[in-house]
Amino acid sequence: MEQKIIVNYDPKETRVAVLEDGKPVELYVERPMRQRLVGNIYKGTVENVLPGMQAAFVSIGEERNAFLYVDDIPQPEDGSGKGSRHPIQRLLHVGEAIMVQVMKESFGSKGARLTANITLPGRYLVFMPGLSYVGVSRRIKSQEERDRLKTIVEEIKPSHAGVIIRTAAEGAEAENLENDIQFLSGLWEKIQSSFQQEKSTALLHQDVALIYRIVRDLFNDKIGQFIIDNKQEYKKVLEILDYLSPHLKKRVVHYRQKEPIFERYHIEEEIERSLNRMVWLKSGGYLVFDQTEALTVIDVNTGKYIGKNNLEQTIFKTNMEATGEVARQIRLRDIGGIIIIDFIDMNTEEHRQQVLEKLREHMGRDRTKSQVLGITHLGLVEIARKKVRQGIAAVMQQPCSYCQGKGRVLSPEAVSGKVERELKRILQREEVEAILVETNSEVAALLIGSGGLYLKKLEGETGKSIFIRGSDNLHVEQYKMLMSGSLQEVEQHALPVEEGGIYRVRVEDPHTSNPEHGIARLHGYIIDIEGAGNLVGDEVQVLIKETARTFARAVLWELDPEKES
């Protein structure tokens, strides 16, 4: 099986796809404005202890308090040297400071899930302070290699820490393992020191950025290529590998082609497909995904596939094909919790077992812990899959304001990225000086950026003039490429106002940096009105004094000194 890692880097959004035989099976998205919490270590404060739930709510500085269950708290040892289970009220008290680590992101109305059993991942090892045992990844199959690694680690690890040997350690030298131990031991000492020094709730340790995590956790000898489309990040990856795995540097490729990297490897279309409720199979059958907060149901249907021989064979072939796509979509969408698959009813036990074994085979490639249970006479299969982070739908979509949350639409961030990619594609293809695009006002604001900085960056990358017009009447997912051509032609159509023109507008907000000025908007275009800071909510007539790409300066018409003279 050929495996690749494809990285699409942008300062606003980094996306990483893992490909198996040319198809994406895992997708990771990270935006600087929305930092992940999993792996972060905090000095938390116990806000509430719930004996009836054997749990506590802990403040870690986020909007919602996080949840800590009694089994995720180290238990004091009894006389035999073993831990005994104590009730939560004997372990924690309100107002107490406690070191915790986020093990699950917040989902829906639930806060993050915490553990007080700290783990620090390295390249080859996972360091577990306060424990003593040595474990080996079950993916290392050779018993001889397992014994070799365990012997080395037991000799070099501190007595006060446990260690899990990761899959990447297979074949590693003792020096590599010792370097990992020394680094992680030093990191743990710094975290302990920070805990003592901080006087209140604080972040003690933040897990590294997405690209580094991918190199550390996923890039191993089984990955044929690591392809990245940013030169600076490409160099950083090589620097990281100098320390982690120098022999893998030759597999890192800097992607330089004009075609966007996710389009080149057909990842964009697979992302779009993974956001759909219905997914078609090659045979003509299809899958339907219905997802709630705790349960996902996947329905398998024959659809347009009518088979060649008999009904039972048609059903069997559809179910067999569905197993691979179901497993891939579960991984790509990162569906967690309880998953119920409603296969088409099969009459023979042999067919049911073959479908079940094929599903287990495909799910066996999943790095996230999961368990496939038996198949019932109704054709239902239950999968329990660990839920660690938000799935692709939660990252790419938001509840739809048009239908009060009954459906989902793309988020403004996702749409702005989509518009930006299409703009780049069009401007690379067409010999024009300028282009005018109309989007939803929220999307327009993201494309323009604070003070027009991001629009300037986009124009610098394309070498063309880009005009963005915002409209509150456009659905968040809608956008229009209104016209392209010469700069003069586009500019005449792009600006909704002209110098010397008089317009009636509503003052919406005071200026953020100059409260004496007021801000109005005309088709999403900003008008900075001198002297209107105290007129928020009023409709006024203004005279346009100066126009720019993203805003105009104006004065109140009644107060214009030239008019009075």
Side-chain angles (χ1 to χ4, degrees):
M1 178 178 60
E2 182 188 33
Q3 291 182 296
K4 293 180 181 179
I5 293 175
I6 311 297
V7 182
N8 171 219
Y9 175 81
D10 186 278
K12 292 200 304 180
E13 180 181 77
T14 300
R15 303 184 298 170
V16 178
V18 179
L19 273 56
E20 291 181 357
D21 293 331
K23 285 191 172 184
V25 294
E26 295 178 29
L27 179 71
Y28 302 86
V29 180
E30 185 169 87
R31 300 182 183 119
M33 293 177 63
R34 296 184 181 181
Q35 292 290 344
R36 78 192 287 267
L37 299 181
V38 169
N40 289 356
I41 299 173
Y42 294 86
K43 181 172 186 175
T45 303
V46 178
E47 294 287 331
N48 200 3
V49 177
L50 309 172
M53 295 178 65
Q54 284 300 294
F57 285 105
V58 179
S59 170
I60 58 172
E62 293 295 312
E63 184 177 348
R64 287 193 295 253
N65 287 337
F67 183 82
L68 177 63
Y69 185 57
V70 67
D71 286 349
D72 295 315
I73 304 172
Q75 301 285 332
E77 293 184 354
D78 57 22
S80 65
K82 298 179 179 179
S84 57
R85 193 175 188 273
H86 288 267
I88 190 82
Q89 59 269 35
R90 289 184 59 184
L91 298 173
L92 296 178
H93 304 90
V94 173
E96 179 182 354
I98 180 173
M99 186 187 297
V100 289
Q101 186 172 30
V102 178
M103 57 189 297
K104 289 185 181 179
E105 297 279 356
S106 59
F107 295 98
S109 59
K110 298 178 181 178
R113 175 82 178 268
L114 302 176
T115 179
N117 296 307
I118 307 300
T119 59
L120 299 173
R123 172 63 168 174
Y124 303 106
L125 310 169
V126 177
F127 189 81
M128 301 179 295
L131 301 178
S132 58
Y133 70 87
V134 174
V136 184
S137 167
R138 66 179 187 275
R139 293 181 182 270
I140 299 178
K141 302 299 182 182
S142 167
Q143 188 59 49
E144 183 180 352
E145 178 65 3
R146 295 172 68 88
D147 292 341
R148 182 186 76 88
L149 292 169
K150 196 169 183 179
T151 300
I152 293 172
V153 171
E154 284 176 341
E155 291 178 356
I156 62 177
K157 81 173 187 67
S159 58
H160 63 274
V163 170
I164 294 177
I165 301 169
R166 307 185 72 173
T167 308
E170 188 169 10
E173 300 293 334
E175 182 183 359
N176 300 127
L177 304 177
E178 190 169 2
N179 288 340
D180 241 17
I181 286 282
Q182 290 177 353
F183 172 76
L184 295 172
S185 297
L187 178 59
W188 172 237
E189 290 176 5
K190 291 178 183 177
I191 292 170
Q192 286 181 300
S193 176
S194 297
F195 181 83
Q196 298 299 327
Q197 292 173 10
E198 294 290 349
K199 296 181 180 179
S200 60
T201 300
L203 174 63
L204 304 178
H205 168 72
Q206 186 170 24
D207 203 4
V208 291
L210 176 60
I211 294 178
Y212 182 92
R213 293 199 310 273
I214 294 297
V215 173
R216 180 190 69 193
D217 299 338
L218 300 186
F219 191 25
N220 54 39
D221 290 326
K222 295 180 181 179
I223 304 296
Q225 285 185 309
F226 187 106
I227 307 171
I228 184 168
D229 64 355
N230 181 274
K231 187 175 181 179
Q232 286 71 34
E233 295 300 316
Y234 162 76
K235 291 180 177 179
K236 287 181 184 178
V237 169
L238 295 181
E239 290 173 4
I240 294 167
L241 289 171
D242 274 332
Y243 168 72
L244 295 180
S245 300
H247 71 284
L248 292 177
K249 290 173 64 177
K250 60 185 178 183
R251 303 189 189 185
V252 182
V253 178
H254 178 211
Y255 182 83
R256 297 181 175 88
Q257 298 180 35
K258 287 187 177 181
E259 184 181 10
I261 190 169
F262 266 35
E263 291 186 17
R264 167 67 179 80
Y265 290 95
H266 308 290
I267 301 169
E268 293 289 7
E269 60 192 67
E270 288 293 336
I271 293 174
E272 294 281 347
R273 194 164 171 254
S274 70
L275 295 173
N276 293 335
R277 182 170 176 260
M278 182 184 293
V279 174
W280 288 95
L281 303 174
K282 286 184 178 180
S283 65
Y286 64 91
L287 311 175
V288 177
F289 291 76
D290 285 305
Q291 195 166 355
T292 67
E293 191 167 328
L295 174 71
T296 299
V297 177
I298 306 171
D299 189 25
V300 182
N301 298 276
T302 54
K304 295 179 285 188
Y305 179 54
I306 58 174
K308 294 181 180 179
N309 300 316
N310 56 57
L311 177 60
E312 180 65 23
Q313 197 65 24
T314 300
I315 290 172
F316 175 63
K317 286 188 176 181
T318 303
N319 283 339
M320 287 292 281
E321 183 187 9
T323 58
E325 189 61 25
V326 163
R328 191 172 75 88
Q329 289 291 328
I330 287 173
R331 295 172 64 190
L332 185 58
R333 298 174 186 231
D334 203 6
I335 300 172
I338 300 171
I339 305 166
I340 302 294
I341 307 170
D342 184 9
F343 285 105
I344 308 166
D345 292 348
M346 292 170 284
N347 292 327
T348 67
E349 180 62 24
E350 181 184 0
H351 283 175
R352 284 195 287 268
Q353 290 305 315
Q354 285 180 338
V355 167
L356 187 62
E357 288 306 310
K358 198 67 176 176
L359 179 63
R360 284 180 173 146
E361 178 187 328
H362 288 301
M363 289 300 298
R365 301 174 184 175
D366 190 4
R367 294 189 313 111
T368 301
K369 186 178 180 181
S370 62
Q371 183 179 9
V372 180
L373 305 178
I375 189 168
T376 70
H377 290 292
L378 295 176
L380 299 177
V381 174
E382 181 181 350
I383 298 177
R385 188 172 187 266
K386 190 175 181 181
K387 195 171 188 176
V388 177
R389 60 192 179 102
Q390 291 184 327
I392 186 173
V395 174
M396 298 290 294
Q397 298 174 321
Q398 66 179 18
C400 177
S401 59
Y402 298 90
C403 60
Q404 289 74 49
K406 294 179 182 177
R408 300 183 72 85
V409 297
L410 289 174
S411 66
E413 292 92 341
V415 178
S416 69
K418 189 175 181 179
V419 173
E420 180 181 331
R421 289 189 287 273
E422 185 161 343
L423 277 170
K424 289 179 179 178
R425 184 167 58 247
I426 290 172
L427 293 175
Q428 283 174 358
R429 188 176 66 238
E430 296 186 9
E431 293 297 325
V432 296
E433 290 182 341
I435 192 168
L436 169 61
V437 58
E438 186 178 46
T439 72
N440 176 273
S441 296
E442 287 185 68
V443 177
L446 290 170
L447 287 166
I448 293 169
S450 177
L453 288 177
Y454 197 79
L455 181 59
K456 292 176 184 175
K457 176 179 174 291
L458 190 58
E459 288 180 328
E461 290 176 355
T462 60
K464 308 292 175 65
S465 296
I466 302 171
F467 293 81
I468 308 293
R469 179 187 292 173
S471 173
D472 292 331
N473 296 324
L474 278 181
H475 186 283
V476 68
E477 291 187 345
Q478 292 179 313
Y479 56 91
K480 302 174 183 177
M481 301 295 170
L482 295 179
M483 68 172 298
S484 60
S486 70
L487 177 58
Q488 184 177 3
E489 290 173 338
V490 176
E491 193 171 36
Q492 287 177 350
H493 288 83
L495 302 183
V497 300
E498 60 182 9
E499 292 184 14
I502 299 171
Y503 302 86
R504 190 163 189 85
V505 296
R506 183 176 177 272
V507 183
E508 296 179 7
D509 303 293
H511 197 288
T512 53
S513 58
N514 190 348
E516 293 183 2
H517 289 213
I519 295 296
R521 291 176 178 84
L522 195 61
H523 304 302
Y525 184 77
I526 294 173
I527 302 176
D528 180 358
I529 311 168
E530 183 179 345
N534 60 347
L535 298 176
V536 174
D538 293 350
E539 284 195 0
V540 296
Q541 279 192 314
V542 297
L543 173 69
I544 304 298
K545 288 291 190 181
E546 180 185 353
T547 60
R549 183 73 52 81
T550 57
F551 73 99
R553 291 191 174 91
V555 296
L556 294 167
W557 171 238
E558 293 79 6
L559 300 180
D560 179 33
E562 294 180 6
K563 177 190 171 187
E564 291 178 354
S565 62

